[in-house]
Amino acid sequence: SGYFCRRNMAAMITATKKNPAEKILGRFGLYLTRRESLGGSKAILGSHPPYDQLNAIGTRNDYFIHKGYRHRSVPQYMDDTVYSWGWQEEVYCLAREIADKHDFKSVMDVGCGSAFKLLKYLGKDKTIGLDVAQTCSKLRNRYPDREWGVADFSAEIVPKADLVIASDVIEHLVDPDMLLRFILRVAPKHVIISTPDRNLLRHGTHNGPPHNIAHIREWNMPELHAYLSEFLEIDEHFISYAAQATQCVLARPRSACS
C-alpha cells in the first residue's frame, strides 16, 4: 500500500514504473509513495500543543525549549544499520542539490546510520560517515573503501568537509552543544540539520518527554531556530516532509559568515 503525497521534490518519487492510477494522479500533482509516515495519537484532544504556546521559546539553559518541558536524561542506542531508506530521504536530496550548486567535493554525515542515503545521493563525492562504535564496525565491514569514524565530539583533531549533514541526530544527544561546537571545528561551508518538529508529531508530548524513547528532547520550529542561531547563520528553515514531521535547516557556521 502507499500514501498519497503532493509532489514537492522530484527526487522523492519512489516508484520506478508508473501504473495507470499513478498516471492519473500525476495529472493533479500527486504521486504514490511507500515511505513511512507518522500517525500520531489516535486521540485528537490533547495531541496538539496549546495554541498560545505554538511559538513560545524558553531559555538558553533549556536549549530554548519552553519552560516546563521535561527532557529525558538517559539516551538509548538505536541500531540504524538495519534501515536503508524511507526516513529523511529528502534531506539527502537537498544535500545533493547543495553539493552540486557549490561544487562541493567532500561530505560528512554525523550519525550516518546505515549510510544508505549518504552513499546513494552523495557517493560520487568523498564521504566521511560518523556514528557510534558499534555502527562504525558494521560499516567498515560493509563498505571498506569508505571513511568511517566514531563520533567523538571532543576529539582534538577533526576531519574537514565542505558540507556537514546531521539528519535527525540532535534530538538523541544529552548535550547538543557538543555537536554544534564540533561542526564549527569541522568548518564546513554549509550545514544541513534535520530533526522532528514537536508541534507536528501529535503524540501529546508538548511538555515532554518525547514519545520516542531514543530521543532526549524535541524542538518546535521557533525553539530550534533560536537555539541553532547561536552557532549558525540560518539560510533556510522549513518543513521538509510533513508526513514524518521533519523540519530541516540549511545554514553556515557563524565564523564563516563574517
Side-chain angles (χ1 to χ4, degrees):
S1 62
Y3 306 99
F4 289 103
C5 299
R6 186 161 296 280
R7 186 189 307 271
N8 54 8
M9 294 181 72
M12 289 167 55
I13 300 175
T14 58
T16 56
K17 293 182 179 179
K18 290 186 177 181
N19 59 39
E22 289 173 315
K23 291 179 180 179
I24 294 173
L25 288 170
R27 298 173 186 172
F28 299 94
L30 300 171
Y31 68 95
L32 280 172
T33 178
R34 291 171 178 80
R35 293 182 64 187
E36 300 285 345
S37 68
L38 295 172
S41 172
K42 291 183 179 179
I44 303 300
L45 291 176
S47 66
H48 293 280
Y51 176 76
D52 60 354
Q53 296 183 35
L54 281 174
N55 298 312
I57 62 173
T59 66
R60 180 63 183 81
N61 289 340
D62 289 319
Y63 307 101
F64 292 95
I65 296 178
H66 70 84
K67 183 179 179 180
Y69 184 86
R70 291 168 293 164
H71 306 246
R72 185 170 276 114
S73 58
V74 180
Q76 178 170 314
Y77 169 68
M78 182 179 69
D79 183 4
D80 200 25
T81 59
V82 298
Y83 300 104
S84 58
W85 69 280
W87 297 93
Q88 301 90 43
E89 189 165 14
E90 78 287 349
V91 176
Y92 290 82
C93 293
L94 172 63
R96 179 70 271 160
E97 291 182 9
I98 296 300
D100 288 341
K101 179 179 179 179
H102 298 284
D103 196 28
F104 291 162
K105 302 300 182 185
S106 57
V107 181
M108 175 186 292
D109 190 2
V110 183
C112 60
S114 69
F116 176 85
K117 289 166 287 192
L118 172 65
L119 299 181
K120 175 181 177 180
Y121 290 102
L122 298 141
K124 72 177 185 179
D125 304 309
K126 176 185 177 183
T127 58
I128 306 167
L130 303 182
D131 214 298
V132 297
Q134 302 98 305
T135 298
C136 286
S137 177
K138 294 178 181 180
L139 292 173
R140 289 189 185 105
N141 290 330
R142 193 177 297 171
Y143 308 107
D145 59 330
R146 293 284 176 164
E147 185 174 346
W148 311 107
V150 175
D152 180 2
F153 300 147
S154 61
E156 292 185 9
I157 301 175
V158 299
K160 300 297 181 182
D162 294 325
L163 175 63
V164 169
I165 305 168
S167 179
D168 281 41
V169 172
I170 198 168
E171 67 273 11
H172 294 271
L173 305 176
V174 174
D175 184 3
D177 286 0
M178 294 184 67
L179 166 65
L180 294 168
R181 293 192 186 107
F182 173 81
I183 290 175
L184 293 182
R185 292 170 60 210
V186 174
K189 297 179 177 68
H190 279 82
V191 182
I192 296 174
I193 294 176
S194 70
T195 191
D197 179 355
R198 192 184 66 244
N199 285 354
L200 297 181
L201 288 173
R202 283 198 58 247
H203 285 306
T205 53
H206 175 69
N207 290 319
H211 177 77
N212 187 329
I213 61 174
H215 292 182
I216 299 296
R217 62 185 63 82
E218 293 162 344
W219 290 262
N220 64 21
M221 287 188 75
E223 293 165 345
L224 185 69
H225 201 97
Y227 175 51
L228 294 183
S229 292
E230 284 208 326
F231 300 86
L232 305 170
E233 187 71 29
I234 296 176
D235 295 322
E236 303 281 352
H237 189 181
F238 55 96
I239 299 299
S240 61
Y241 195 53
Q244 294 178 353
T246 304
Q247 58 175 315
C248 186
V249 171
L250 172 65
R252 292 163 290 143
R254 281 201 171 274
S255 57
C257 298
S258 55

